[in-house]
Amino acid sequence: MSPDPRTGRASDILGRRVHDDTGKPIGRIADLITEPAPDGTHQRVTAAIVVHHHWGRLLGYERREMTRPWILEHLARLILRRNAQEVPWHKLRLAADEQ
């Protein structure tokens, strides 16, 4: 983890178990969604893609905006996205035992 508590690396977060804002376990972080900060100088995390079980990452097929050959896109949708959900960052809590 970064020595500065205000900053960090995506690799410190990806794969971590998370709970919703009520404390209920909801899965692991598979990807992060960012947007430009209001001052435009950097990106900030606004949401995470959370999966319930194991997930696969293959050439960006886990991302909804990616388009590839239809058969591969269809298989990726069935296999990789079946348990993924986008959760706003402010509603997530990292599991205490992994911090």
Side-chain angles (χ1 to χ4, degrees), residues 35-96:
E35 68 180 29
D39 62 8
T41 61
H42 59 280
Q43 295 282 312
R44 64 182 182 135
V45 175
T46 57
I49 302 297
V50 177
V51 294
H52 301 287
H53 303 291
H54 296 289
W55 72 93
R57 295 188 61 133
L58 178 62
L59 303 174
Y61 283 104
E62 76 280 3
R63 297 187 178 123
R64 294 194 187 279
E65 68 273 5
M66 296 299 289
T67 57
R68 304 278 194 238
W70 73 270
I71 188 69
L72 295 177
E73 180 64 26
H74 180 71
L75 289 173
R77 189 177 308 114
L78 291 174
I79 297 167
L80 302 177
R81 296 182 191 159
R82 67 178 174 238
N83 64 3
Q85 63 179 325
E86 183 177 323
V87 182
W89 188 250
H90 69 276
K91 293 188 174 198
L92 291 177
R93 305 292 178 262
L94 295 175

Side-chain angles (χ1 to χ4, degrees), residues 2-43:
S2 173
D4 181 348
R6 297 169 296 160
T7 64
R9 295 176 177 257
S11 60
D12 294 334
I13 297 171
L14 294 174
R16 295 273 305 266
R17 290 184 308 164
V18 290
H19 299 79
D20 64 14
D21 52 358
T22 67
K24 177 184 169 192
I26 57 173
R28 293 186 179 271
I29 296 177
D31 207 352
L32 300 173
I33 298 171
T34 64
E35 68 180 29
D39 62 8
T41 61
H42 59 280
Q43 295 282 312

